[in-house]
Amino acid sequence: MVRQKYRYFLLELHPDNLRHLSQIHQGEVHAAIMKAVKLLHGEQGIAAQLGDCRVKLMNPETGIVYLRARRGAAHEMVRDAIKSVTRIGAHAARVDIIHMSGTMRSSQKRLLEYHRQTLLKMLATCRTERDREKIRLAMSGLLTISGKPAMSEAMETSD
C-alpha cells in the first residue's frame, strides 16, 4: 500500500479588525476553507477533501495557520479556495498563503524567515529607541515583541 502524501500550507489571517484575530478559532478557519471549496468545486471538491484537509495548528495571536491537504488535485482545490475566502466565522477576513511545501518542517523554516523579514520592516518604522531594542531582542530570539520568552527554544528541544 502506498502512503498518503500531503501538502502543508502556511497561511496568515488578516481580519478587517485586528481585535477579531483572537476570536477566530481553528474550526472556523477550516469551515471557511471548506465552504470556499464547495463554492468553487462543488460536491466533488468536498469529497476530495473528506478527512484529509485539516488545520494542524493555529496561533490566534499572530494569525498564522498550518493547514494540511492531500497532495494532487485535492491540494490544488484547497489552494484555489484559500484565495477566495472573504469571511471566517462572523468576521470579514483575508487569507494569504505564505508558503506551501511537502513537509511541516520546511514550512517552519519559512515561517522563521517570514518573521525575520517582518521584524526588519518593523524596525525601519520604529520611532523610539525602546521599540527598536524590543525588536532587536525579538530578532535575536530572546524575547517575543510582547516581552514573553520566545517559543524558539521549545521548538528546538522538540526536534
Side-chain angles (χ1 to χ4, degrees):
M1 182 150 182
V2 179
R3 71 179 179 92
Q4 289 293 322
K5 295 181 182 177
Y6 296 99
R7 288 286 180 235
Y8 294 90
F9 293 89
L10 179 60
L11 310 173
E12 185 174 26
L13 306 179
H14 297 282
D16 285 348
N17 187 340
L18 287 177
R19 286 180 287 194
H20 294 157
L21 190 58
S22 62
Q23 298 170 359
I24 296 174
H25 303 287
Q26 279 185 207
E28 294 174 329
V29 174
H30 183 263
I33 292 170
M34 290 299 104
K35 182 179 177 183
V37 167
K38 186 173 184 177
L39 285 173
L40 291 175
H41 302 286
E43 294 296 324
Q44 181 183 4
I46 292 294
Q49 305 306 323
L50 224 53
D52 288 323
C53 181
R54 58 183 271 198
V55 175
K56 295 290 282 180
L57 178 72
M58 180 181 166
N59 185 337
E61 291 181 15
T62 61
I64 297 295
V65 177
Y66 285 102
L67 180 80
R68 183 186 80 176
R70 188 184 303 187
R71 190 179 81 170
H75 90 267
E76 292 171 3
M77 290 179 195
V78 170
R79 183 188 61 216
D80 295 340
I82 288 169
K83 295 175 186 176
S84 68
V85 171
T86 58
R87 294 194 74 74
I88 298 175
H91 310 291
R94 182 179 95 244
V95 181
D96 290 336
I97 300 173
I98 298 172
H99 186 69
M100 182 181 70
S101 69
T103 64
M104 191 108 164
R105 183 174 179 180
S106 65
S107 291
Q108 289 173 339
K109 288 179 185 178
R110 177 62 181 107
L111 179 61
L112 289 174
E113 182 60 32
Y114 179 76
H115 280 310
R116 205 171 288 122
Q117 290 171 356
T118 304
L119 287 171
L120 284 173
K121 288 177 188 175
M122 289 173 64
L123 187 61
T125 62
C126 285
R127 294 183 181 170
T128 65
E129 187 58 39
R130 182 173 174 243
D131 291 341
R132 285 187 198 99
E133 190 58 35
K134 275 187 175 181
I135 291 176
R136 285 187 193 112
L137 286 174
M139 287 177 70
S140 69
L142 297 175
L143 295 175
T144 61
I145 292 180
S146 64
K148 298 176 184 174
M151 296 202 37
S152 60
E153 293 174 6
M155 287 176 58
E156 289 173 5
T157 58
S158 65
D159 288 342

